[in-house]
Amino acid sequence: MYLRRTLTVFLLFSLLSVTHSLRPENHLLLPSSRKLGRDDSVYCLSWRFSVEVNDAGEWATIPLRCLQFVSQYMTGEIYSSDLEIISAESLEFAKSVHIAGDGKDVWIFDIDETLLSNLPYYAAHGFGSEAFNEDSFDEWALEAKAPALAASLSLYRELQRLGFKIILLTGRSEPFRNATAENLKSAGYDNWERLILRGATDKGKLAAVYKSERRKELTDEGYRIHGNSGDQWSDLIGFAVSKRSFKLPNPMYYIA
């Protein structure tokens, strides 16, 4: 029920967009030179809605007719507006939380497409002019140049001001720890409580399982998880979940 308000606002802003015209494991984003027709716009808006509310399930590719739609959305004003609305809803909830002052009240953030944006990577590759290449994405991640998502950076800082401890829980693996920390700091994020990456024992685990296990370890240590922000449903579901979860939009890829 807590995601309902965010998703309702998400749909409203998505409808307005029609009037104006990571490490990903399984996705495909290809360019399209053809103009987006009205029928495609309506269909793709509905498709994106089904993705965000998780009705689409474990989807692997963007429908061919929606490639241009996704490109326009991710680089346009509506995506930024959606993020701002979700950040505002998150902050509204955060202000209602009583902070005990014992350092155990936490907010969890995913990293890719939640705190950091990998859009420069996709733009450099023609927004997926070729199938996703793991090696080239690893090179991009090691460069530590991904910019912050402005709305997320603002929320991050406001949560710290309110007294929350920040836990970063990412699907990136341990070899990327130094580059990830460097990238976060250069993008404006600092003073987090903990940065959790996949270890050797997490190899092959579904993201939802891995992240649930790490959240359980946190609660076993006495942390109270009030909020959780992520662009994938697998960031938010499972066990040891937060009191409220906030799903950021991402129609580019799906991670189980």
Side-chain angles (χ1 to χ4, degrees):
M1 72 183 276
Y2 292 123
L3 286 169
R4 189 174 302 156
R5 290 177 64 192
T6 298
L7 290 171
T8 300
V9 175
F10 160 83
L11 177 57
L12 174 60
F13 275 84
S14 298
L15 288 171
L16 289 174
S17 70
V18 174
T19 65
H20 291 286
S21 18
L22 324 161
R23 164 156 150 198
E25 276 108 350
N26 53 351
H27 75 284
L28 180 63
L29 187 58
L30 302 174
S32 175
S33 59
R34 68 187 178 88
K35 209 167 182 181
L36 200 65
R38 179 184 176 280
D39 290 343
D40 285 345
S41 294
V42 172
Y43 170 83
C44 295
L45 176 62
S46 297
W47 172 80
R48 185 165 68 89
F49 178 80
S50 74
V51 164
E52 297 303 343
V53 299
N54 210 25
D55 285 347
E58 297 186 12
W59 57 278
T61 61
I62 298 169
L64 290 176
R65 63 194 293 190
C66 297
L67 299 175
Q68 185 71 7
F69 177 91
V70 170
S71 174
Q72 291 172 355
Y73 169 72
M74 292 301 299
T75 58
E77 295 181 358
I78 301 301
Y79 175 57
S80 296
S81 180
D82 287 346
L83 294 175
E84 290 169 3
I85 289 291
I86 295 168
S87 177
E89 293 285 344
S90 302
L91 185 57
E92 180 181 354
F93 163 70
K95 289 179 177 177
S96 72
V97 175
H98 171 71
I99 303 297
D102 58 0
K104 295 296 184 179
D105 296 297
V106 304
W107 195 287
I108 294 177
F109 282 98
D110 172 54
I111 293 180
D112 292 297
E113 272 61 71
T114 299
L115 293 181
L116 299 176
S117 171
N118 293 304
L119 282 178
Y121 167 82
Y122 297 116
H125 290 76
F127 270 90
S129 57
E130 55 186 340
F132 173 76
N133 183 277
E134 185 173 327
D135 291 336
S136 66
F137 187 84
D138 286 352
E139 291 174 3
W140 156 255
L142 289 171
E143 289 178 4
K145 294 181 178 179
L149 290 169
S152 294
L153 180 57
S154 176
L155 173 62
Y156 183 100
R157 290 172 172 171
E158 284 298 310
L159 291 173
Q160 288 182 320
R161 186 183 63 80
L162 290 172
F164 286 91
K165 297 296 182 180
I166 305 297
I167 303 288
L168 308 181
L169 178 54
T170 176
R172 296 186 179 195
S173 58
E174 277 294 337
F176 294 87
R177 175 175 292 277
N178 291 341
T180 300
E182 176 187 346
N183 197 159
L184 288 164
K185 290 176 182 178
S186 66
Y189 301 101
D190 55 15
N191 298 321
W192 54 79
E193 178 78 358
R194 196 173 301 182
L195 171 58
I196 303 173
L197 299 91
R198 281 183 182 263
T201 59
D202 300 312
K203 187 176 181 179
K205 288 182 181 178
L206 293 177
V209 174
Y210 151 68
K211 294 200 169 186
S212 292
E213 291 175 349
R214 293 297 171 267
R215 291 195 301 266
K216 180 61 166 57
E217 291 174 357
L218 292 170
T219 59
D220 287 345
E221 293 178 35
Y223 286 105
R224 295 177 291 274
I225 306 174
H226 295 285
N228 186 7
S229 300
D231 67 294
Q232 301 290 321
W233 281 89
S234 55
D235 297 329
L236 312 173
I237 62 176
F239 52 90
V241 297
S242 58
K243 291 182 181 177
R244 285 202 59 175
S245 296
F246 295 88
K247 170 71 169 65
L248 280 66
N250 185 354
M252 295 191 297
Y253 57 84
Y254 177 92
I255 297 176

